[in-house]
């Protein structure tokens, strides 16, 4: 590979990828040239490439790849929970009590087979009607997931996995307390896919895309034990929902995030949705901070994460999982438009063309939400977060005097003021949040 420190300014940008979906479309629309050699400027790689090839190649200073070396610290279900728990303990040890108290946005989780004894103790303490969900840590698209209420219902899993805590050949699963009271729209369960672009972990630099989408089940929700085996009720993955006779292929079973925002605003007023969306933003930022000190930061790397979130009927937000390779295959035109715009904005931020000045607070649909510290909304902002807002026609927003909020005290005061305003507005404009389950 070229060893020069600077790329020739008149050289046409090149890319390499095996993907033929929205990724390819977005790259081609930039006028970049595809290559199958090593003379690429951007390589959109499979995750395995990072572990198998990355350490053995020398990259020129401008070359970029779309993963960090050890992205599994965030994107494997067991590692995600491990790092969240570790970071919460760190906050407690540092007497950051308020932050630690708010660090409870994942379901009760154990990693099997290693934590089986601990899970067994917890299982016995719970009511017999409690539902649990088993998920293999290394699979996707809903494969291998099942719900249960009785230990006898996981005997087949134990047998198939040759269960013993010391058995390294057993497939690792996480078992979680099932969120049995999800917020419903038209009686259907849904989760939310949101996109975060991280360009550095040192300092942590995170851009959050304003849009995203809700993925709905095609069957009305029921927490009855009789429905546990029906994946079309409990799992919102498109790969699962496509198998249902009631799947809506025209919409893909999706709402844009803005549609959810308008729906919630019309039912509950501004304060409820504003705090909910702000909480979702904070969950994403806190999850990223939990792995900041264990990630192998590299100037050649960036990552476009797909965060899957859900909230219950009291508007409490939970993180379900984080995807390092969120699907860029579209099942509707609207879906394709969203993903191409998302990728176009991401490539603008990666900035191989050297167009940015460094004072940008928004590029396309991405807002800068964290850079060495949380980025405060301007005083003129209508909402606590830009999630669900329209993308302005102006491609870039700047703030040459931007200073992140860096101290924990300032952050807590800002959050306290936002919550106080939200509560005041809720009392004046909307019903109590507890009423949300009646959809």
């Amino acid at each position: 590979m070229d060893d020069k420190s600077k790329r020739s300014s008149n050289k046409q940008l090149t890319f390499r990828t095996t993907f033929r979906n929205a990724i390819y479309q977005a790259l081609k629309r930039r006028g970049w040239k595809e290559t199958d050699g090593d003379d690429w400027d951007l390589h959109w790689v499979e995750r395995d490439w990072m572990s198998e090839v990355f350490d053995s190649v020398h990259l020129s200073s401008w070359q970029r790849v779309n993963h960090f070396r050890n992205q599994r610290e965030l994107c494997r279900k067991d590692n995600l929970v491990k790092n969240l728990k570790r970071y919460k303990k760190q906050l407690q040890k540092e007497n950051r009590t308020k932050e630690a108290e708010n660090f409870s946005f994942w379901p009760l989780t154990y990693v099997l087979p290693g934590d089986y004894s601990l899970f067994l103790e917890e299982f016995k303490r719970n009511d017999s009607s409690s539902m649990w969900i088993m998920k293999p840590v290394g699979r996707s698209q809903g494969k291998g997931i099942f719900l249960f209420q009785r230990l006898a219902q996981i005997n087949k899993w134990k047998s198939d996995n040759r269960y013993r805590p010391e058995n390294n050949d057993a497939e690792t699963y996480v078992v979680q307390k099932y969120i049995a009271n999800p917020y419903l729209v038209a009686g259907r369960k849904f989760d939310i896919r949101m996109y975060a672009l991280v360009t550095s972990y040192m300092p942590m630099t995170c851009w959050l895309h304003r849009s995203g989408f809700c993925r709905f089940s095609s069957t009305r929700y029921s927490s009855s034990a009789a429905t546990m085996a029906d994946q079309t009720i409990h799992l919102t993955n498109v790969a699962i929902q496509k198998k249902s006779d009631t799947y809506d292929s025209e919409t893909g079973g999706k709402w844009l995030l803005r549609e959810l925002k308008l729906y919630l605003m019309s039912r509950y007023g501004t304060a409820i949705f504003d705090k909910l969306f702000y909480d979702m933003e904070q969950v994403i930022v806190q999850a990223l901070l939990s792995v900041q000190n264990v990630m192998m930061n590299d100037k050649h790397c960036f990552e476009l994460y797909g965060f899957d979130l859900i909230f219950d009927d009291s508007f409490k937000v939970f993180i379900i999982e984080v995807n390092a390779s969120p699907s860029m295959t579209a099942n509707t035109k609207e879906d394709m438009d969203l993903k191409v715009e998302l990728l176009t904005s991401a490539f603008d931020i990666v900035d191989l063309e050297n167009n940015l000045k460094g004072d940008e607070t928004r590029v396309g649909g991405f807002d800068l939400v964290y850079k060495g510290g949380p980025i405060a909304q301007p005083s003129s902002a209508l909402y606590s977060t830009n999630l669900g807002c329209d993308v302005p026609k102006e491609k870039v927003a700047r703030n040459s005097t931007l200073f992140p909020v860096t101290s924990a005290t300032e952050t807590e005061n800002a959050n306290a003021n936002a919550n106080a305003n939200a509560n005041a507005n809720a009392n004046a404009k909307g019903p109590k949040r507890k009423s949300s389950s009646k959809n």
Side-chain angles (χ1 to χ4, degrees), residues 172-298:
T172 304
Y173 272 67
V174 293
V175 58
Q176 296 179 319
K177 188 78 172 292
Y178 186 62
I179 301 168
N181 60 325
Y183 184 89
L184 307 176
V185 172
R188 286 168 169 78
K189 179 181 175 179
F190 64 96
D191 69 359
I192 303 169
R193 165 61 59 83
M194 296 171 61
Y195 296 98
L197 176 67
V198 174
T199 54
S200 172
Y201 274 97
M202 292 293 177
M204 169 67 72
T205 305
C206 173
W207 300 76
L208 193 58
H209 200 269
R210 294 185 173 202
S211 195
F213 54 85
C214 307
R215 300 180 298 187
F216 284 86
S217 64
S218 55
T219 308
R220 292 182 67 86
Y221 180 76
S222 170
S223 59
S224 166
T227 70
M228 285 195 304
D230 191 339
Q231 292 187 322
T232 63
I233 292 176
H234 297 286
L235 304 183
T236 60
N237 311 66
V238 173
I240 298 294
Q241 294 302 321
K242 279 184 174 181
K243 301 174 184 177
S244 172
D245 293 336
T246 56
Y247 175 70
D248 186 345
S249 58
E250 184 175 342
T251 66
K254 294 177 181 178
W255 262 9
L256 291 177
L257 189 62
R258 178 170 174 77
E259 293 177 280
L260 176 65
K261 169 187 171 180
L262 295 175
Y263 173 83
L264 294 172
M265 188 186 298
S266 69
R267 289 179 66 89
Y268 308 111
T270 300
I272 295 296
F273 100 81
D274 188 45
K275 185 176 187 307
L276 172 67
F277 278 39
Y278 177 77
D279 288 347
M280 290 194 289
E281 177 179 304
Q282 291 306 299
V283 164
I284 291 173
V285 170
Q286 293 298 319
L288 291 169
L289 288 173
S290 75
V291 299
Q292 180 181 17
N293 291 333
V294 298
M295 292 296 290
M296 298 177 184
N297 194 59
D298 192 299

Side-chain angles (χ1 to χ4, degrees), residues 77-251:
K77 299 177 183 72
D78 54 340
N79 289 338
L80 170 63
V81 172
K82 174 195 71 177
N83 285 306
L84 290 173
K85 290 179 177 179
R86 178 192 53 77
Y87 190 63
K88 182 174 184 176
K89 289 180 180 178
Q90 178 183 327
L91 294 174
Q92 293 169 334
K93 186 177 181 180
E94 296 173 356
N95 292 321
R96 296 160 66 180
T97 307
K98 184 67 174 179
E99 292 176 76
E101 288 176 356
N102 294 331
F103 221 77
S104 58
F105 47 80
W106 64 94
L108 180 63
T109 305
Y110 296 93
V111 179
L112 304 185
D115 292 343
Y116 185 79
S117 297
L118 294 174
F119 159 67
L120 193 59
E121 292 179 13
E122 182 63 35
F123 181 89
K124 292 177 179 177
R125 283 195 291 265
N126 279 262
D127 186 272
S128 60
S129 62
S130 297
M131 293 174 63
W132 298 79
I133 185 167
M134 293 274 287
K135 304 175 183 178
V137 302
R139 294 196 245 172
S140 59
Q141 299 183 327
K143 296 174 183 176
I145 296 178
F146 63 93
L147 278 67
F148 68 96
Q149 283 183 313
R150 295 179 288 110
L151 289 177
Q153 292 170 309
I154 66 172
N155 283 338
K156 183 178 185 301
W157 169 82
K158 290 170 66 176
S159 174
D160 289 348
N161 287 273
R162 302 173 299 284
Y163 166 73
R164 288 191 308 277
E166 67 278 8
N167 183 3
N168 294 326
D169 294 329
E171 183 178 11
T172 304
Y173 272 67
V174 293
V175 58
Q176 296 179 319
K177 188 78 172 292
Y178 186 62
I179 301 168
N181 60 325
Y183 184 89
L184 307 176
V185 172
R188 286 168 169 78
K189 179 181 175 179
F190 64 96
D191 69 359
I192 303 169
R193 165 61 59 83
M194 296 171 61
Y195 296 98
L197 176 67
V198 174
T199 54
S200 172
Y201 274 97
M202 292 293 177
M204 169 67 72
T205 305
C206 173
W207 300 76
L208 193 58
H209 200 269
R210 294 185 173 202
S211 195
F213 54 85
C214 307
R215 300 180 298 187
F216 284 86
S217 64
S218 55
T219 308
R220 292 182 67 86
Y221 180 76
S222 170
S223 59
S224 166
T227 70
M228 285 195 304
D230 191 339
Q231 292 187 322
T232 63
I233 292 176
H234 297 286
L235 304 183
T236 60
N237 311 66
V238 173
I240 298 294
Q241 294 302 321
K242 279 184 174 181
K243 301 174 184 177
S244 172
D245 293 336
T246 56
Y247 175 70
D248 186 345
S249 58
E250 184 175 342
T251 66

